[in-house]
Amino acid sequence: MNIAQSTVSELVAAIPGASELFDVYQIDYNLTPTLTLKDLVGESKNRLSEITNRLNTLINESELNMPSPWMNASTPTLIAHIVEHYHDKHKEQFPELIRLCHKVQLFHHEHPNFPAHLEAHFSKMYFELEEHMAKEEQILFPLMLDGLFPFGPISVMEEEHVDHAHALKELCELTNNFTPPDDACQTWTELYTKAKILHQDLNEHIHLENNILFKRNR
């Protein structure tokens, strides 16, 4: 496997732990899934070599050097996992994040490092994601469970995933990569910790659909 010339979506699908590594290097594998690792890293040979070496280590450390177990899961099993582990979880995460954000803003709205638009951003993300997940649960997933592969609805979902990826990127910017200021209260710290978990979960959710579920029968 030529790691440098592989697309980031291929690397995430093939190498367990690659998504977490890309998060460390702030490489958004859902926003630019068709670009190769070399394209994304740019002219920095040292950085490319460092990431490549760490990916090779992940490959060597992988128990059976096998791709994600979801690659071989049945479509019903994978869809059930996505709904239970991501859709249902997001429906709990966003209200909690909005609640925490409102609480922090109530007491720290004058703090120079508090992002005034964060609560509105969470609300917008939640509204758009709820609509997106409803279309999947009510239209797309039933069709796929019936053995169909509707290219049109899938293309729409993939386009919306790009919007979600942009929203996640903005979330990183608003929260200074989920780093609260030194004088942040416990609630503010909890807010950013849970926002970081959401960021990881939603990225994994998008990856499973884009690079595994939606690639079937193509």
Side-chain angles (χ1 to χ4, degrees):
M1 183 181 194
N2 187 332
I3 291 178
Q5 295 298 335
S6 298
T7 66
V8 287
S9 62
E10 290 171 339
L11 294 171
V12 170
I15 304 174
S19 60
E20 291 84 354
L21 180 63
F22 287 154
D23 285 341
V24 171
Y25 284 93
Q26 298 181 28
I27 294 174
D28 196 322
Y29 50 89
N30 286 318
L31 194 57
T32 52
T34 60
L35 292 183
T36 67
L37 180 61
K38 185 176 181 180
D39 290 335
L40 283 172
V41 173
E43 300 298 322
S44 177
K45 293 182 179 180
N46 289 338
R47 190 165 186 257
L48 177 61
S49 177
E50 179 181 338
I51 297 172
T52 300
N53 287 338
R54 294 190 65 177
L55 287 170
N56 275 317
T57 299
L58 288 174
I59 291 173
N60 293 332
E61 290 177 350
S62 179
E63 188 173 1
L64 294 175
N65 195 16
M66 293 291 288
S68 165
W70 298 110
M71 294 288 288
N72 298 317
S74 69
T75 296
T77 298
L78 180 54
I79 287 176
H81 172 72
I82 289 170
V83 172
E84 293 170 11
H85 192 75
Y86 295 105
H87 285 206
D88 292 347
K89 189 174 182 180
H90 296 329
K91 292 170 187 176
E92 296 176 354
Q93 287 173 311
F94 274 100
E96 173 65 2
L97 286 166
I98 292 169
R99 182 189 70 81
L100 289 171
C101 192
H102 181 75
K103 185 176 180 180
V104 175
Q105 187 165 5
L106 186 64
F107 292 99
H108 302 287
H109 61 277
E110 294 183 352
H111 194 292
N113 295 117
F114 185 76
H117 304 296
L118 184 57
E119 185 176 348
H121 186 63
F122 278 134
S123 296
K124 183 173 184 291
M125 285 183 69
Y126 188 32
F127 175 78
E128 293 176 350
L129 188 60
E130 272 197 310
E131 285 196 332
H132 176 87
M133 293 189 298
K135 284 184 281 189
E136 290 183 335
E137 293 175 14
Q138 297 169 18
I139 301 172
L140 177 59
F141 289 168
L143 289 173
M144 297 188 78
L145 290 171
D146 283 341
L148 302 175
F149 193 84
F151 288 97
I154 285 175
S155 296
V156 172
M157 295 300 99
E158 289 175 328
E159 290 174 4
E160 291 182 1
H161 284 167
V162 174
D163 294 335
H164 300 325
H166 279 293
L168 286 172
K169 182 179 180 181
E170 185 176 348
L171 179 60
C172 290
E173 294 168 353
L174 285 170
T175 60
N176 189 28
N177 287 318
F178 312 105
T179 306
D182 293 337
D183 59 345
C185 66
Q186 183 177 349
T187 304
W188 194 339
T189 301
E190 181 184 3
L191 169 65
Y192 279 16
T193 298
K194 290 185 174 180
K196 185 175 183 179
I197 293 171
L198 168 75
H199 181 274
Q200 181 177 342
D201 286 343
L202 186 49
N203 262 322
E204 290 174 354
H205 173 188
I206 294 170
H207 159 66
L208 278 178
E209 292 184 353
N210 279 356
N211 303 314
I212 298 182
L213 181 62
F214 294 167
K215 288 290 190 291
R216 297 179 174 190
N217 300 322
R218 283 192 174 183

PDB file of all heavy atoms in Angstrom, residues 188-206:
ATOM      1  N   TRP A 188     -17.285  25.018  31.515  1.00  0.00           N
ATOM      2  CA  TRP A 188     -16.683  25.391  30.231  1.00  0.00           C
ATOM      3  C   TRP A 188     -15.760  24.270  29.755  1.00  0.00           C
ATOM      4  O   TRP A 188     -15.791  23.885  28.583  1.00  0.00           O
ATOM      5  CB  TRP A 188     -15.903  26.687  30.414  1.00  0.00           C
ATOM      6  CG  TRP A 188     -15.487  27.389  29.153  1.00  0.00           C
ATOM      7  CD1 TRP A 188     -15.366  26.849  27.912  1.00  0.00           C
ATOM      8  CD2 TRP A 188     -15.144  28.769  29.020  1.00  0.00           C
ATOM      9  NE1 TRP A 188     -14.959  27.797  27.010  1.00  0.00           N
ATOM     10  CE2 TRP A 188     -14.807  28.989  27.668  1.00  0.00           C
ATOM     11  CE3 TRP A 188     -15.062  29.832  29.920  1.00  0.00           C
ATOM     12  CZ2 TRP A 188     -14.403  30.235  27.199  1.00  0.00           C
ATOM     13  CZ3 TRP A 188     -14.663  31.080  29.452  1.00  0.00           C
ATOM     14  CH2 TRP A 188     -14.341  31.284  28.105  1.00  0.00           C
ATOM     15  N   THR A 189     -14.971  23.722  30.657  1.00  0.00           N
ATOM     16  CA  THR A 189     -14.078  22.622  30.301  1.00  0.00           C
ATOM     17  C   THR A 189     -14.878  21.404  29.863  1.00  0.00           C
ATOM     18  O   THR A 189     -14.534  20.729  28.882  1.00  0.00           O
ATOM     19  CB  THR A 189     -13.183  22.254  31.501  1.00  0.00           C
ATOM     20  OG1 THR A 189     -12.423  23.407  31.889  1.00  0.00           O
ATOM     21  CG2 THR A 189     -12.244  21.121  31.159  1.00  0.00           C
ATOM     22  N   GLU A 190     -15.958  21.119  30.568  1.00  0.00           N
ATOM     23  CA  GLU A 190     -16.818  19.990  30.213  1.00  0.00           C
ATOM     24  C   GLU A 190     -17.441  20.202  28.831  1.00  0.00           C
ATOM     25  O   GLU A 190     -17.549  19.259  28.027  1.00  0.00           O
ATOM     26  CB  GLU A 190     -17.919  19.826  31.260  1.00  0.00           C
ATOM     27  CG  GLU A 190     -18.853  18.659  30.980  1.00  0.00           C
ATOM     28  CD  GLU A 190     -20.003  18.569  31.973  1.00  0.00           C
ATOM     29  OE1 GLU A 190     -20.109  19.459  32.853  1.00  0.00           O
ATOM     30  OE2 GLU A 190     -20.808  17.624  31.856  1.00  0.00           O
ATOM     31  N   LEU A 191     -17.845  21.427  28.557  1.00  0.00           N
ATOM     32  CA  LEU A 191     -18.423  21.761  27.259  1.00  0.00           C
ATOM     33  C   LEU A 191     -17.456  21.422  26.131  1.00  0.00           C
ATOM     34  O   LEU A 191     -17.831  20.767  25.140  1.00  0.00           O
ATOM     35  CB  LEU A 191     -18.783  23.246  27.216  1.00  0.00           C
ATOM     36  CG  LEU A 191     -19.155  23.832  25.851  1.00  0.00           C
ATOM     37  CD1 LEU A 191     -20.432  23.204  25.315  1.00  0.00           C
ATOM     38  CD2 LEU A 191     -19.299  25.357  25.952  1.00  0.00           C
ATOM     39  N   TYR A 192     -16.207  21.855  26.259  1.00  0.00           N
ATOM     40  CA  TYR A 192     -15.237  21.620  25.195  1.00  0.00           C
ATOM     41  C   TYR A 192     -14.848  20.147  25.100  1.00  0.00           C
ATOM     42  O   TYR A 192     -14.589  19.627  24.011  1.00  0.00           O
ATOM     43  CB  TYR A 192     -14.000  22.487  25.420  1.00  0.00           C
ATOM     44  CG  TYR A 192     -14.166  23.923  24.952  1.00  0.00           C
ATOM     45  CD1 TYR A 192     -15.430  24.451  24.694  1.00  0.00           C
ATOM     46  CD2 TYR A 192     -13.074  24.760  24.773  1.00  0.00           C
ATOM     47  CE1 TYR A 192     -15.591  25.756  24.269  1.00  0.00           C
ATOM     48  CE2 TYR A 192     -13.217  26.069  24.342  1.00  0.00           C
ATOM     49  CZ  TYR A 192     -14.478  26.569  24.096  1.00  0.00           C
ATOM     50  OH  TYR A 192     -14.623  27.870  23.667  1.00  0.00           O
ATOM     51  N   THR A 193     -14.807  19.454  26.230  1.00  0.00           N
ATOM     52  CA  THR A 193     -14.505  18.019  26.212  1.00  0.00           C
ATOM     53  C   THR A 193     -15.586  17.257  25.458  1.00  0.00           C
ATOM     54  O   THR A 193     -15.289  16.399  24.610  1.00  0.00           O
ATOM     55  CB  THR A 193     -14.392  17.468  27.648  1.00  0.00           C
ATOM     56  OG1 THR A 193     -13.319  18.125  28.316  1.00  0.00           O
ATOM     57  CG2 THR A 193     -14.131  15.971  27.634  1.00  0.00           C
ATOM     58  N   LYS A 194     -16.845  17.582  25.738  1.00  0.00           N
ATOM     59  CA  LYS A 194     -17.951  16.895  25.072  1.00  0.00           C
ATOM     60  C   LYS A 194     -18.073  17.324  23.608  1.00  0.00           C
ATOM     61  O   LYS A 194     -18.491  16.530  22.757  1.00  0.00           O
ATOM     62  CB  LYS A 194     -19.254  17.148  25.826  1.00  0.00           C
ATOM     63  CG  LYS A 194     -19.285  16.439  27.177  1.00  0.00           C
ATOM     64  CD  LYS A 194     -20.618  16.586  27.892  1.00  0.00           C
ATOM     65  CE  LYS A 194     -20.637  15.748  29.163  1.00  0.00           C
ATOM     66  NZ  LYS A 194     -21.918  15.847  29.910  1.00  0.00           N
ATOM     67  N   ALA A 195     -17.701  18.556  23.308  1.00  0.00           N
ATOM     68  CA  ALA A 195     -17.708  19.009  21.916  1.00  0.00           C
ATOM     69  C   ALA A 195     -16.664  18.250  21.104  1.00  0.00           C
ATOM     70  O   ALA A 195     -16.889  17.899  19.942  1.00  0.00           O
ATOM     71  CB  ALA A 195     -17.441  20.512  21.849  1.00  0.00           C
ATOM     72  N   LYS A 196     -15.524  17.963  21.720  1.00  0.00           N
ATOM     73  CA  LYS A 196     -14.471  17.201  21.041  1.00  0.00           C
ATOM     74  C   LYS A 196     -14.928  15.772  20.776  1.00  0.00           C
ATOM     75  O   LYS A 196     -14.643  15.199  19.714  1.00  0.00           O
ATOM     76  CB  LYS A 196     -13.193  17.202  21.885  1.00  0.00           C
ATOM     77  CG  LYS A 196     -12.008  16.529  21.193  1.00  0.00           C
ATOM     78  CD  LYS A 196     -10.742  16.664  22.024  1.00  0.00           C
ATOM     79  CE  LYS A 196      -9.545  16.049  21.299  1.00  0.00           C
ATOM     80  NZ  LYS A 196      -8.297  16.202  22.099  1.00  0.00           N
ATOM     81  N   ILE A 197     -15.654  15.190  21.720  1.00  0.00           N
ATOM     82  CA  ILE A 197     -16.197  13.833  21.535  1.00  0.00           C
ATOM     83  C   ILE A 197     -17.199  13.826  20.379  1.00  0.00           C
ATOM     84  O   ILE A 197     -17.200  12.917  19.536  1.00  0.00           O
ATOM     85  CB  ILE A 197     -16.848  13.329  22.830  1.00  0.00           C
ATOM     86  CG1 ILE A 197     -15.788  13.119  23.904  1.00  0.00           C
ATOM     87  CG2 ILE A 197     -17.613  12.029  22.578  1.00  0.00           C
ATOM     88  CD1 ILE A 197     -16.347  12.823  25.289  1.00  0.00           C
ATOM     89  N   LEU A 198     -18.065  14.858  20.329  1.00  0.00           N
ATOM     90  CA  LEU A 198     -19.004  14.970  19.215  1.00  0.00           C
ATOM     91  C   LEU A 198     -18.254  15.061  17.889  1.00  0.00           C
ATOM     92  O   LEU A 198     -18.626  14.402  16.908  1.00  0.00           O
ATOM     93  CB  LEU A 198     -19.884  16.205  19.390  1.00  0.00           C
ATOM     94  CG  LEU A 198     -20.704  16.573  18.146  1.00  0.00           C
ATOM     95  CD1 LEU A 198     -21.877  15.625  17.967  1.00  0.00           C
ATOM     96  CD2 LEU A 198     -21.194  18.018  18.209  1.00  0.00           C
ATOM     97  N   HIS A 199     -17.208  15.863  17.858  1.00  0.00           N
ATOM     98  CA  HIS A 199     -16.417  16.037  16.641  1.00  0.00           C
ATOM     99  C   HIS A 199     -15.897  14.684  16.157  1.00  0.00           C
ATOM    100  O   HIS A 199     -15.994  14.355  14.969  1.00  0.00           O
ATOM    101  CB  HIS A 199     -15.257  16.997  16.928  1.00  0.00           C
ATOM    102  CG  HIS A 199     -14.377  17.271  15.751  1.00  0.00           C
ATOM    103  ND1 HIS A 199     -13.308  16.462  15.413  1.00  0.00           N
ATOM    104  CD2 HIS A 199     -14.397  18.268  14.828  1.00  0.00           C
ATOM    105  CE1 HIS A 199     -12.715  16.933  14.355  1.00  0.00           C
ATOM    106  NE2 HIS A 199     -13.356  18.037  13.958  1.00  0.00           N
ATOM    107  N   GLN A 200     -15.360  13.900  17.050  1.00  0.00           N
ATOM    108  CA  GLN A 200     -14.833  12.588  16.689  1.00  0.00           C
ATOM    109  C   GLN A 200     -15.953  11.646  16.250  1.00  0.00           C
ATOM    110  O   GLN A 200     -15.831  10.943  15.236  1.00  0.00           O
ATOM    111  CB  GLN A 200     -14.073  11.986  17.862  1.00  0.00           C
ATOM    112  CG  GLN A 200     -13.470  10.610  17.556  1.00  0.00           C
ATOM    113  CD  GLN A 200     -12.659  10.066  18.725  1.00  0.00           C
ATOM    114  OE1 GLN A 200     -12.260  10.810  19.613  1.00  0.00           O
ATOM    115  NE2 GLN A 200     -12.432   8.776  18.717  1.00  0.00           N
ATOM    116  N   ASP A 201     -17.050  11.638  17.003  1.00  0.00           N
ATOM    117  CA  ASP A 201     -18.162  10.743  16.681  1.00  0.00           C
ATOM    118  C   ASP A 201     -18.773  11.059  15.320  1.00  0.00           C
ATOM    119  O   ASP A 201     -19.051  10.150  14.522  1.00  0.00           O
ATOM    120  CB  ASP A 201     -19.254  10.850  17.753  1.00  0.00           C
ATOM    121  CG  ASP A 201     -18.875  10.175  19.055  1.00  0.00           C
ATOM    122  OD1 ASP A 201     -17.935   9.357  19.044  1.00  0.00           O
ATOM    123  OD2 ASP A 201     -19.504  10.490  20.089  1.00  0.00           O
ATOM    124  N   LEU A 202     -18.991  12.334  15.047  1.00  0.00           N
ATOM    125  CA  LEU A 202     -19.622  12.708  13.777  1.00  0.00           C
ATOM    126  C   LEU A 202     -18.692  12.441  12.602  1.00  0.00           C
ATOM    127  O   LEU A 202     -19.137  12.016  11.527  1.00  0.00           O
ATOM    128  CB  LEU A 202     -20.060  14.177  13.813  1.00  0.00           C
ATOM    129  CG  LEU A 202     -20.872  14.681  12.607  1.00  0.00           C
ATOM    130  CD1 LEU A 202     -22.025  13.740  12.280  1.00  0.00           C
ATOM    131  CD2 LEU A 202     -21.389  16.096  12.872  1.00  0.00           C
ATOM    132  N   ASN A 203     -17.394  12.648  12.791  1.00  0.00           N
ATOM    133  CA  ASN A 203     -16.446  12.310  11.735  1.00  0.00           C
ATOM    134  C   ASN A 203     -16.462  10.811  11.446  1.00  0.00           C
ATOM    135  O   ASN A 203     -16.446  10.384  10.286  1.00  0.00           O
ATOM    136  CB  ASN A 203     -15.027  12.751  12.135  1.00  0.00           C
ATOM    137  CG  ASN A 203     -14.638  14.077  11.524  1.00  0.00           C
ATOM    138  OD1 ASN A 203     -14.977  14.368  10.377  1.00  0.00           O
ATOM    139  ND2 ASN A 203     -13.933  14.900  12.269  1.00  0.00           N
ATOM    140  N   GLU A 204     -16.486   9.995  12.503  1.00  0.00           N
ATOM    141  CA  GLU A 204     -16.535   8.537  12.318  1.00  0.00           C
ATOM    142  C   GLU A 204     -17.843   8.129  11.642  1.00  0.00           C
ATOM    143  O   GLU A 204     -17.853   7.243  10.776  1.00  0.00           O
ATOM    144  CB  GLU A 204     -16.409   7.848  13.671  1.00  0.00           C
ATOM    145  CG  GLU A 204     -15.025   7.966  14.299  1.00  0.00           C
ATOM    146  CD  GLU A 204     -14.983   7.386  15.706  1.00  0.00           C
ATOM    147  OE1 GLU A 204     -16.063   7.001  16.222  1.00  0.00           O
ATOM    148  OE2 GLU A 204     -13.885   7.325  16.284  1.00  0.00           O
ATOM    149  N   HIS A 205     -18.928   8.768  12.028  1.00  0.00           N
ATOM    150  CA  HIS A 205     -20.243   8.508  11.456  1.00  0.00           C
ATOM    151  C   HIS A 205     -20.222   8.774   9.942  1.00  0.00           C
ATOM    152  O   HIS A 205     -20.633   7.923   9.128  1.00  0.00           O
ATOM    153  CB  HIS A 205     -21.243   9.419  12.173  1.00  0.00           C
ATOM    154  CG  HIS A 205     -22.631   9.411  11.619  1.00  0.00           C
ATOM    155  ND1 HIS A 205     -23.602  10.287  12.056  1.00  0.00           N
ATOM    156  CD2 HIS A 205     -23.239   8.659  10.674  1.00  0.00           C
ATOM    157  CE1 HIS A 205     -24.722  10.068  11.409  1.00  0.00           C
ATOM    158  NE2 HIS A 205     -24.528   9.090  10.556  1.00  0.00           N
ATOM    159  N   ILE A 206     -19.723   9.929   9.562  1.00  0.00           N
ATOM    160  CA  ILE A 206     -19.641  10.284   8.137  1.00  0.00           C
ATOM    161  C   ILE A 206     -18.744   9.306   7.390  1.00  0.00           C
ATOM    162  O   ILE A 206     -19.056   8.866   6.275  1.00  0.00           O
ATOM    163  CB  ILE A 206     -19.136  11.735   7.978  1.00  0.00           C
ATOM    164  CG1 ILE A 206     -20.170  12.716   8.542  1.00  0.00           C
ATOM    165  CG2 ILE A 206     -18.852  12.054   6.507  1.00  0.00           C
ATOM    166  CD1 ILE A 206     -19.654  14.146   8.641  1.00  0.00           C
TER     167      ILE A 206
END
